[in-house]
Amino acid sequence: MVPGYLLVQYFRRKNYLETGRGLCFPLVKACVFGNEPKASDEPPLAARTESSETTPTWQALKLFFCAAGLQVSYLTWGVLQERVMTRSYGATATTPGERFTDSQFLVLMNRVLALMVAGLYCVLCKQPRHGAPMYRYSFASLSNVLSSWCQYEALKFVSFPTQVLAKASKVIPVMLMGKLVSRRSYEHWEYLTAGLISIGVSMFLLSSGPEPRSSPATTLSGLILLAGYVAFDSFTSNWQDALFAYKMSSVQMMFGVNFFSCLFTVGSLLEQGALLEGTRFMGRHSEFAAHALLLSVCSACGQLFIFYTIGQFGAAVFTIIMTLRQAFAILLSCLLYGHTVTVVGGLGVAVVFAALLLRVYARGRLKQRGKKAVPIESPVQKV
């Protein structure tokens, strides 16, 4: 894959990104760099709140809308993700069907739709002007593409509940990346909750029996892929936090990251000759085409619900909703796809989510006391 700054220099030489030339520059400029006057003191989009109606009933209705939107978007996304990567298409009484194996193609579909949604939003709504170099988006974009690829590939080797718990435990590598990338310091209670999460995940992994299709080798491959996902995703979160210092909006971040993600994935698929094969698979199996499209729609809609929820109710409420979503995702996966969870494994899951909720509570207490808490990781590109 070509580094992002080289791509930008290439497009500049081709006059695609020069002011007044080409067709791409006006759209990219409006979406990435903003279209408000530079001296505007208006806050970023993610920090804006509506002031039309603030009655308790209206606030409760908005909270229900946000919670329902996040739950429906990401629970549907999780079910479809497991369906696409672990089940066959076109199976009949005489033929076993075939499985879709190219995770990069799914990543491309997700990023293209997210790019279109973010671009449309940026064109319709004014965005704050900022001076972030465009190539800096490419670092978060590359790590995001790699984390998404690892996430899809891991489902070939480990169960969906195991993957969800790995996501829940990424608090630990996020803290490590925070020290390396952002030079952050952490409180004692944060190390305590990180340790509880590690204990809970270990209880679940050691008590759960192997999947019917798994072997020690495939399970190890799945755990390595999950470790890759957690590491790349942790870097993405911390790098995006650093980019937000330029005072951009979350939707601008969404557009910039997805812009480079599309370039990376298209280039990789063309180099491997897999883009045409993925398109042919969609043509052979209309059910897969519908699942992949709905998967992308859920991902893009979920991103917008993330921004709206944080803007209306803050990061703490959003974290509680998403923590509950992870618990519901494990339960739904066990009901639909027959995964078994032992009593000890169930206790491990409870320990993990109790530790996550404890983190939210501790952050709230620190905020009430006026002490600066470590910011919750960037909400962009959760999937």
Side-chain angles (χ1 to χ4, degrees), residues 17 20 43 54 73 105 153 155 177 217 221 246 319 322 355 361 370:
L17 293 178
T54 57
S73 297
F105 188 81
E153 287 293 309
L155 282 178
M177 285 291 181
S221 300
Y246 289 97
T319 303
M322 295 303 283
Y361 172 77

Side-chain angles (χ1 to χ4, degrees), residues 14-252:
K14 293 297 183 180
N15 292 332
Y16 293 148
L17 293 178
E18 293 296 333
T19 305
R21 302 180 184 179
L23 298 176
C24 295
F25 182 79
L27 177 62
V28 173
K29 180 182 177 182
C31 294
V32 176
F33 299 109
N35 46 23
E36 289 186 350
K38 192 169 185 180
S40 173
D41 292 327
E42 221 175 328
L45 183 64
R48 295 175 184 168
T49 56
E50 298 177 358
S51 57
S52 56
E53 294 185 55
T54 57
T55 62
T57 302
W58 180 246
Q59 288 294 100
L61 287 174
K62 286 199 296 185
L63 179 58
F64 176 79
F65 172 73
C66 292
L70 287 169
Q71 298 292 345
V72 171
S73 297
Y74 284 115
L75 288 177
T76 304
W77 176 84
V79 170
L80 288 173
Q81 181 192 41
E82 187 169 8
R83 169 67 180 87
V84 168
M85 297 306 300
T86 64
R87 299 295 188 272
S88 299
Y89 287 93
T92 63
T94 56
T95 58
E98 56 179 334
R99 288 189 177 184
F100 183 76
T101 58
D102 195 344
S103 300
Q104 281 191 89
F105 188 81
L106 288 178
V107 174
L108 174 62
M109 290 194 63
N110 290 346
R111 299 302 177 259
V112 167
L113 189 59
L115 179 69
M116 294 171 60
V117 170
L120 181 62
Y121 196 102
C122 289
V123 170
L124 295 178
C125 303
K126 286 186 177 181
Q127 301 298 311
R129 187 176 294 276
H130 64 87
M134 191 174 179
Y135 75 89
R136 290 181 67 87
Y137 288 101
S138 64
F139 297 100
S141 176
L142 179 58
S143 61
N144 178 253
V145 168
L146 292 173
S147 68
S148 298
W149 180 84
C150 290
Q151 179 180 211
Y152 282 115
E153 287 293 309
L155 282 178
K156 299 177 181 178
F157 308 107
V158 298
S159 68
F160 184 77
T162 301
Q163 186 198 73
V164 172
L165 279 190
K167 293 180 184 180
S169 65
K170 70 181 181 181
V171 169
I172 303 167
V174 164
M175 291 172 63
L176 294 176
M177 285 291 181
K179 276 187 169 294
L180 295 175
V181 177
S182 305
R183 306 298 182 185
R184 288 178 180 162
S185 58
Y186 297 95
E187 301 288 339
H188 295 296
W189 59 265
E190 294 184 282
Y191 290 106
L192 172 63
T193 54
L196 289 175
I197 290 172
S198 300
I199 293 173
V201 172
S202 300
M203 290 172 62
F204 178 83
L205 294 178
L206 294 176
S207 65
S208 300
E211 292 291 302
R213 67 179 186 278
S214 69
S215 66
T218 58
T219 301
L220 178 61
S221 300
L223 293 178
I224 292 175
L225 287 168
L226 286 178
Y229 160 76
V230 170
F232 288 124
D233 193 67
S234 301
F235 176 85
T236 302
S237 299
N238 282 279
W239 191 266
Q240 287 176 333
D241 282 341
L243 280 179
F244 275 123
Y246 289 97
K247 307 301 181 183
M248 66 186 66
S249 73
S250 296
V251 181
Q252 285 174 302

Side-chain angles (χ1 to χ4, degrees), residues 288-333:
F288 167 77
H291 287 167
L293 179 60
L294 184 56
L295 191 73
S296 301
V297 170
C298 290
S299 176
C301 290
Q303 286 288 310
L304 296 180
F305 273 112
I306 287 175
F307 303 145
Y308 184 73
T309 303
I310 293 178
Q312 293 294 318
F313 301 102
V317 172
F318 163 75
T319 303
I320 293 174
I321 294 173
M322 295 303 283
T323 300
L324 294 176
R325 189 271 301 182
Q326 291 176 320
F328 291 150
I330 292 178
L331 178 62
L332 193 60
S333 178

